[in-house]
Amino acid sequence: MSDDDRRLIALSLGGNRDAYGELVSRYQTRLYNAAIRLVEHPEDAADVVQDAFLNAYQSLQTFKGEAEFFTWLYRIAFNTAISLKRRKRTTVSLDSAASEGTIEPLDCSEYVRPGAALEQGEEEMQLQAALSRLSPEHREVLVLKDIEGMKYEQIADILGVPIGTIRSRLHRARLELRELLKTDED
Amino acid sequence: MVTEDELLLMTAGVDGELTPAQARELRELLVRCPEARVLYNQLRADSDRIRSLPVLQAPPGLTQRVLDQIHAHTPNLIRVKHTSLPTETDRQHRATRSRWIPFGIAACLLLGVTASSFWFFSSDHESNVASGPRVNRGWNGHLPADDVRPPTQPFEGNEFASDQNPPTQTHPAAPQPRPATGLARALAPQPRPMRPEFHAFLAGAEIAPFEFVEVRIPVLQPLSEFTREDVQRDFLHELSLEPAYRIDLFARDNFRGLQFFEAAAQSIGLRVLIDTATADLTRKQLARAVVVYSDALEPNEIVRLLEVLSNRDAKVSPRIFDLVHATPATSVEQKMLTEILGFDPGLFKRPSTLEKSRDTTKPLSSQTVEHLVKSVTTVAGNPAEKTAIALLSTPMSSRTPPAYSAELKQFMANRGLRQSKAVPVLFVIRQGPG
């Protein structure tokens, strides 16, 4: 963990909320990009990030500093995303949504560049749709590996599972994604 | 045809996590097998596509929203110590501290009585001696001050005449008291030092801010999470901390929940004996909660049971179970079980260890003989079989009295002695949301 993170965490623990605000600013984009691949909508991703930072603040005392702050934060965000999906599942069935073709590609453009949804390429839309059909476990390892660029060891650390499990999950995830994309291509 | 091992090699290659030997092996594979080469290139392309997804900016104002939420929800950071963190040493220290609590309270009470008595006699004495107008000195006026004069020192009319810091002008100087004739002034003993204590302290005494607050968080996880190794590991650790547990399983449908539970238990070698009336009322959706008690399971078996239950539950849509809430059993659970079972199962009793019975020089006790005879003559069920009993947790008026339940009798007959590693556990299958 960087010295600066350590300093900000220490200040936050001392009651300095501005210091925590700096940590939020530092990691929000990275966490948001990871979260948006785990949930269906940008609004949900924002909620996940917001709740994750709040939960992290409330349990900051338990953070021992042995791992990277982002690693710890990501774990919290992932659990938050899973809880959110579960809550939403009680009202909207994912299967029914898929059959109705309502799994839209993730359009975050409203926050970045208005109107950009129209410019999203067909390939990207297919990829987003395929990713959203993967199981959370598979999607998670792909996000950590390909988007976050983490090593097996780091992913295993975040998810708290053996490296062998990560290897096999990634293996299955890649093959499953290939099948989904192949179906779309056909 | 690409084999499974070759597929593993290719995906590991896409992950960029190959050893030099594996990388060489992959290169050879790609050279000799066109099919593998095509698939490998596709997998690489997929990975590149994920990597090339655009980086999105977080919504504006997110930082402020987080800080606002923090301000609204958490006035101050509280040091939270997770349930799984205390070590054996911590628990021993806690137990040692607990033993001292009664002594601490008694000491504080004694101190309080002493101080009150002293205050009472001191006030009485002062009113007898100095009957003139009194200066209000607050708390210091009631307790003996440090500047108590020796008997030989003449009594000064002005209380503050010799003080280093004279009172402000708002305090009028006390008039000269009448000479106390015929009364001997006695010195009160010095009071014991009084320090505010955690368990009992004088009103108004200032307490230093707590340096450490321990909050135990009960396990609250969706049942679906119990297939994860980390969740299983944490829960296994939790089960090793306390002598007995209560595990609430929130189900959409109690009857199906009980059916699923029975099947899952069966698969790990636990036979659930369901009381006939309980089964009947649960089938009619009239049971709000069903208690399944067993003291035959070891922690790893309990975790395994939840894992199997989760796997079975995942096969139906929508799922039957939602959340699992596990807490250490307390006297409330003990009382409830005693009412439901008709006997106290001894949740907190230590199981007998085998070491005691290994001493062959001792004669067999009557209890041992009784257990031997019982194990030989018991006909209902297999004594070695692990069993649990399922009963309603509703008030006594609407459930079968324990004495009339054949299943409960069978459970008692099969129960036997609790194994040393077994953890009594009380599952409560209850109606959840949805």
Side-chain angles (χ1 to χ4, degrees), chain A residues 101-117:
Chain A
T102 52
I103 296 184
E104 295 292 334
L106 299 170
D107 174 17
C108 314
S109 54
E110 60 179 296
Y111 297 119
V112 194
R113 40 195 181 111

Side-chain angles (χ1 to χ4, degrees), chain B residues 102-113 195-201:
Chain B
F103 295 106
I105 292 171
C108 289
L109 281 173
L110 184 62
L111 196 62
V113 169
R195 291 190 317 178
E197 297 288 341
F198 178 77
H199 299 294
F201 52 85

Side-chain angles (χ1 to χ4, degrees), chain B residues 319-331:
Chain B
R319 285 171 178 261
I320 302 296
F321 288 100
D322 186 20
L323 287 170
V324 177
H325 183 239
T327 52
T330 63
S331 55

Side-chain angles (χ1 to χ4, degrees), chain B residues 222-228 264 304-315 319 321:
Chain B
L223 180 66
S224 57
E225 303 266 302
F226 277 83
T227 51
R228 282 173 39 192
R304 175 79 185 129
L305 172 59
L306 292 178
E307 185 191 2
V308 173
L309 191 59
S310 176
N311 284 331
R312 285 177 178 269
D313 194 35
K315 290 176 185 168
R319 285 171 178 261
F321 288 100

